[in-house]
Amino acid sequence: MLTANPQLTPDKKLRHLLTTEGLPKSLIENILDTAAQFVSVGDRDVKKVPLLRGKSVFNLFFENSTRTRTTFEIAAKRLSADVINLNINASSTSKGESLVDTIDNLIAMDADMFVVRHAQSGAAHLIAKHVNAVRPNVAVINAGDGRHAHPTQGLLDMYTIRHYKKSFHNLSVAIVGDILHSRVARSGIHALTTLGCPDVRVIGPKTLIPTECERMGVSVHHDMLRGIEGCDVVMMLRLQNERMEGPLLPSAQEFFKSYGLTAEKLARAKADAIVMHPGPMNRGVEIESTIADGRQAVILPQVTFGIAVRMAVMSMVGAGRGDAA
Amino acid sequence: MQLDAEPLISVLAEKIGNTSPDIGVVGIHTGGVWVADKLAAKIGATKIGRIAVTLHRDDYAMRGLHPQKNKTEIGVDINGRHILLVDDVIQSGRTIRAAINELFDFGRPASVKLAVLVDRGGRELPMQADYIAITMPLDGAQKLELINSGDDLRFEILEG
């Protein structure tokens, strides 16, 4: 028997958000359209709508990430939820409590939603499976699990691309750098192929590209000058030194020489190509400073759109299922 | 059954009478926006925006978010402005409640008045219109829908 996609309800609505892999195209488009409604909330006198009033959102960060946690917190607060931030590294798990026990305790505190960041791939899935069994009203949003997925980042990247390029048809997108350790790249690739983007290229050294990467529907390039040729979107990735085991790279300087985004390399892309980066940026390692601050960079709009996309996801998984058949 | 909405807009404009251009007209998506466009021209007031009530609807907990692309756009500072809110139909009053909440997210107007083409009865909240073109009690199962043909607006009444 096939296991049903645990992030969807039987009538194909968003129940949890764990990965962009396997999300139907219509649902991704629905998330992006919903986010568009929320973008303008940031411009109002009152930057708040009452959709999650009375709900408690727990940010469970087993791994540090100030930016992602902050944008989830802002998103939840703009939806009028109560937000509880837990930095778990510093508390229970270090005392030996198991993940499921931690979750059960927080459910006993009447949590309505968990936003989970964890160094282990599959952590959010595990939590979602557990809450499905014990408390079907609680929703789980994956805010990054190991090398596996970072779906809200993938979706905000799609929002950004759609904002500037209007459609995914006839689009060439290059994803550059440390693909091997990047959940951002995986979530982006799945969303891009689902949305019908015909040309997704990954560019990086052999040591930082997963084997059989082509099976995800992308072309692989080791020569950046050739890989970036004529593309509409350049997505740079952060070099994840903290996840590297053993020497995968000679040095950051060597990496910059081959795969850092410079004016010279960017000139090979289309003249109106946009440059994206999920942050935090290592200037002079993945990207030249003048490019990061240049007219083609949309790195700060990505952050702003990220709040609206997270509001959209939270308001969709947080909706009551009172009329669910 | 059909009902031409154009004469109703004229009746509504007559009831409102002459207004000052300072009055800001705001239509409620979708039908209210169509009516507001025509009404503003007839009464000599200024259209200042449109309201989508999605984010303030009270059935979110039961039915979830209504996916729609319409969003609220208020082009001016509404603090201290006199506002004329326009919708095609008033029934339960819940849409009007949500619209006023949405409006107040943008500031504190000096006053808000409500104009509707049809009051079909069936109120569930203490919301009343200041200007009504026609009062037409319908039972809950009947549907009253405003259709925009491009040039003309008309109502379609569908039996439940």
Side-chain angles (χ1 to χ4, degrees):
Chain A
M1 199 180 91
L2 282 170
T3 14
N5 192 337
Q7 52 186 351
L8 302 181
T9 61
D11 55 346
K12 304 270 184 253
K13 287 185 183 156
L14 202 60
R15 162 87 176 84
H16 306 290
L17 179 66
L18 306 174
T19 165
T20 54
E21 188 176 5
L23 278 189
K25 184 179 181 206
S26 59
L27 190 55
I28 295 181
E29 287 171 339
N30 191 196
I31 295 170
L32 302 186
D33 290 344
T34 304
Q37 291 184 56
F38 287 123
V39 168
S40 62
V41 171
D43 301 329
R44 300 180 182 189
D45 268 19
V46 179
K47 295 178 183 43
K48 230 173 165 67
V49 294
L51 295 175
L52 294 186
R53 200 164 52 124
K55 305 274 189 198
S56 301
V57 174
F58 281 65
N59 277 334
L60 302 185
F61 279 64
F62 296 89
E63 186 184 71
N64 287 331
S65 167
T66 310
R67 174 185 336 230
T68 302
R69 205 210 63 218
T70 306
T71 52
F72 268 108
E73 183 172 351
I74 293 169
K77 285 183 168 168
R78 287 198 182 158
L79 292 168
S80 307
D82 296 310
V83 183
I84 296 94
N85 288 313
L86 295 172
N87 188 354
I88 310 267
N89 264 341
S91 68
S92 331
T93 33
S94 57
K95 297 176 189 161
E97 187 174 60
S98 81
L99 182 57
V100 164
D101 281 336
T102 302
I103 296 301
D104 282 341
N105 274 276
L106 298 173
I107 289 175
M109 298 176 200
D110 293 324
D112 294 293
M113 199 182 293
F114 292 118
V115 175
V116 182
R117 158 70 62 102
H118 203 290
Q120 294 293 325
S121 300
H125 268 92
L126 180 78
I127 295 172
K129 264 172 68 183
H130 179 68
V131 304
N132 277 355
V134 299
R135 192 68 66 94
N137 290 326
V138 176
V140 178
I141 296 173
N142 185 1
D145 61 329
R147 301 177 181 188
H148 172 242
H150 191 356
T152 57
Q153 178 72 45
L155 292 168
L156 80 86
D157 288 343
M158 296 310 109
Y159 188 95
T160 307
I161 294 172
R162 196 175 77 163
H163 178 86
Y164 290 101
K165 297 294 171 192
K166 306 304 171 209
S167 139
F168 292 90
H169 303 295
N170 306 318
L171 220 54
S172 294
V173 178
I175 306 176
V176 186
D178 179 3
I179 313 287
L180 182 67
H181 299 95
S182 178
R183 51 199 177 202
V184 175
R186 273 174 198 73
S187 288
I189 290 166
H190 289 305
L192 281 167
T193 50
T194 304
L195 289 169
C197 180
D199 180 16
V200 184
R201 315 167 189 175
V202 300
I203 304 173
K206 284 196 175 77
T207 48
L208 292 181
I209 291 189
T211 48
E212 301 194 33
C213 195
E214 288 92 342
R215 291 175 118 189
M216 295 175 80
V218 302
S219 59
V220 174
H221 299 263
H222 302 300
D223 176 354
M224 182 156 175
L225 284 175
R226 206 174 296 160
I228 205 173
E229 192 82 53
C231 69
D232 303 278
V233 177
V234 184
M235 297 174 67
M236 300 305 298
L237 299 172
R238 187 172 65 87
L239 206 53
Q240 307 204 34
N241 286 314
E242 75 278 13
R243 287 186 215 283
M244 293 195 187
E245 293 152 8
L248 292 173
L249 280 177
S251 73
Q253 287 76 11
E254 281 295 309
F255 183 82
F256 183 72
K257 233 173 107 190
S258 307
Y259 298 102
L261 188 62
T262 58
E264 184 205 348
K265 288 182 194 130
L266 183 57
R268 298 288 188 108
K270 284 199 184 129
D272 65 348
I274 54 169
V275 174
M276 298 165 60
H277 192 296
M281 252 185 316
N282 298 314
R283 288 173 186 256
V285 178
E286 308 111 27
I287 187 164
E288 200 171 61
S289 240
T290 51
I291 301 297
D293 302 326
R295 62 172 179 86
Q296 285 168 274
V298 298
I299 298 166
L300 294 175
Q302 280 178 273
V303 177
T304 307
F305 294 149
I307 293 173
V309 167
R310 288 176 177 128
M311 287 172 80
V313 170
M314 288 177 147
S315 63
M316 288 167 80
V317 299
R321 293 162 196 94
D323 67 340
Chain B
M1 201 174 87
Q2 295 204 346
L3 177 65
D4 191 353
E6 298 294 330
L8 295 179
I9 296 173
S10 300
V11 169
L12 191 59
E14 260 171 52
K15 289 192 175 176
I16 296 169
N18 285 328
T19 56
S20 101
D22 294 346
I23 303 265
V25 176
V26 176
I28 300 174
H29 271 297
T30 312
V33 172
W34 300 334
V35 176
D37 286 351
K38 300 194 170 201
L39 187 67
K42 283 190 204 283
I43 61 173
T46 317
K47 268 190 316 178
I48 59 163
R50 43 186 61 188
I51 279 185
V53 299
T54 330
L55 303 181
H56 279 282
R57 286 181 67 116
D58 61 12
D59 55 1
Y60 165 75
M62 289 181 306
R63 298 174 54 189
L65 214 55
H66 292 246
Q68 58 160 306
K69 291 191 182 177
N70 296 329
K71 60 181 183 194
T72 298
E73 289 161 36
I74 303 283
V76 300
D77 181 5
I78 62 162
N79 282 295
R81 277 298 278 269
H82 293 280
I83 304 287
L84 181 67
L85 201 56
V86 179
D87 207 354
D88 50 351
V89 179
I90 184 167
Q91 185 178 2
S92 66
R94 290 178 190 271
T95 299
I96 305 302
R97 196 281 306 161
I100 292 172
N101 281 136
E102 178 85 7
L103 189 64
F104 272 68
D105 285 351
F106 291 82
R108 181 182 186 272
S111 72
V112 180
K113 290 195 168 180
L114 174 65
V116 300
L117 290 184
V118 179
D119 180 350
R120 59 169 290 177
R123 216 71 88 239
E124 293 163 6
L125 293 175
M127 296 283 164
Q128 305 303 341
D130 297 281
Y131 308 104
I132 301 164
I134 181 178
T135 301
M136 187 167 60
L138 297 172
D139 79 55
Q142 290 174 302
K143 275 179 109 173
L144 182 63
E145 197 181 341
L146 190 64
I147 310 286
N148 190 349
S149 68
D151 296 323
D152 293 315
L153 299 178
R154 62 187 156 77
F155 281 106
E156 227 157 71
I157 304 169
L158 302 164
E159 298 304 319

